[in-house]
Amino acid sequence: MVDGFVVDTRSVSEDVEVPGTLLPFEETAIRAEVSGRIIQLSIPEGTIVPKGFLLIKLFDADLQAQLRKLQVQLEIAIKTVERQRELLAIKGISQQDFDLASLNVDNLKADIQTTRIAISKTEIRAPYEGQIGLKSVSLGAYLSPSDVITSLREVDRLKLEFSVPEKYARNISKGYVVTFRVDGGEKDHKADVIATEGNVDLNTRTLKIRAAVTEKH
């Protein structure tokens, strides 16, 4: 005796409810690139600042003096090259002497650029528009790159992070739209999945998901 079954295809929809966390889309711990003493401090706690806003200025008088010295040396070197170009035209100097003078100009320009970069590192600026957190330094303090100065959060955009059992992984990928509701709220909100990552937690395989909230807050 043979049992027969009629197989029919149909779509299956399964809603899954899981807890999640709403976070700023970007959050940065602000640190200095170089060590130095704070000579200017402007960290308006709790305030939204624009990209490039100067938060801290470190002591740079020694670098500024070095820059001025190099600029004077460059002016002299350029005049030397101009004179030697005239001498070279009448065979008054060798090509090698002229090339060495020209090389000195190039080296001084490179040193000036290096010094300007070093000066720029004494300025700690906001990498993007965001809300400043609490400051942890004071005027006159000595900073090192390991010190956290403050935090910066992007508040115009939010991201949603949550995890689901791995069996749902094939149904969720980049671009998938999820619906969520905040605690105490009655309105549904939308978020687009931007990344997923497999995770093993206490022998339970889950899919960690990050989604960008599509509404302005």
Side-chain angles (χ1 to χ4, degrees):
M1 181 177 178
V2 178
D3 293 329
F5 297 90
V6 177
V7 180
D8 189 15
T9 59
R10 65 182 63 182
S11 61
V12 177
S13 177
E14 185 176 2
D15 292 333
V16 180
E17 293 187 4
V18 295
T21 305
L22 273 177
L23 300 167
F25 199 83
E26 296 288 352
E27 184 172 5
T28 305
I30 304 298
R31 291 181 169 89
E33 285 191 65
V34 296
S35 299
R37 178 168 52 84
I38 301 174
I39 61 172
Q40 182 179 336
L41 179 65
S42 180
I43 301 180
E45 298 173 317
T47 301
I48 295 177
V49 298
K51 178 180 179 180
F53 182 83
L54 180 61
L55 302 170
I56 281 181
K57 175 66 178 177
L58 301 178
F59 178 82
D60 69 345
D62 52 341
L63 293 172
Q64 294 289 354
Q66 181 180 345
L67 178 61
R68 289 192 293 271
K69 179 180 178 180
L70 288 170
Q71 289 172 332
V72 170
Q73 290 176 345
L74 178 61
E75 291 176 3
I76 295 172
I78 290 174
K79 291 178 181 178
T80 299
V81 168
E82 291 173 352
R83 288 194 299 269
Q84 292 195 352
R85 181 177 289 109
E86 295 175 355
L87 291 173
L88 181 65
I90 59 174
K91 307 298 183 181
I93 61 171
S94 67
Q95 181 67 49
Q96 182 179 8
D97 289 339
F98 177 77
D99 291 342
L100 288 174
S102 298
L103 180 61
N104 186 42
V105 170
D106 293 337
N107 287 337
L108 287 169
K109 287 181 178 179
D111 289 342
I112 287 174
Q113 181 64 19
T114 300
T115 305
R116 283 175 174 163
I117 291 173
I119 290 173
S120 71
K121 291 182 178 181
T122 65
E123 298 179 351
I124 297 99
R125 298 180 178 272
Y128 50 83
E129 181 179 301
Q131 186 177 42
I132 293 292
L134 301 178
K135 66 180 179 179
S136 58
V137 296
S138 299
L139 187 65
Y142 187 86
L143 278 183
S144 67
S146 61
D147 297 326
V148 175
I149 298 166
T150 186
S151 62
L152 183 68
R153 296 181 177 183
E154 186 178 8
V155 293
D156 283 345
R157 294 192 301 163
L158 298 175
K159 62 186 177 185
L160 176 67
E161 291 190 353
F162 59 98
S163 297
V164 299
E166 195 180 43
K167 67 179 182 178
Y168 299 107
R170 64 180 181 179
N171 299 323
I172 301 177
S173 59
K174 186 175 181 180
Y176 185 89
V177 178
V178 297
T179 302
F180 69 95
R181 185 175 295 183
V182 298
D183 286 342
E186 298 180 353
K187 181 182 176 182
D188 288 338
H189 305 275
K190 303 288 186 182
D192 295 333
V193 173
I194 56 177
T196 61
E197 179 182 61
N199 182 42
V200 178
D201 183 20
L202 297 178
N203 299 321
T204 301
R205 299 190 66 86
T206 59
L207 182 70
K208 185 176 181 180
I209 300 170
R210 179 172 295 167
V213 178
T214 55
E215 304 169 28
K216 285 284 187 179
H217 286 72

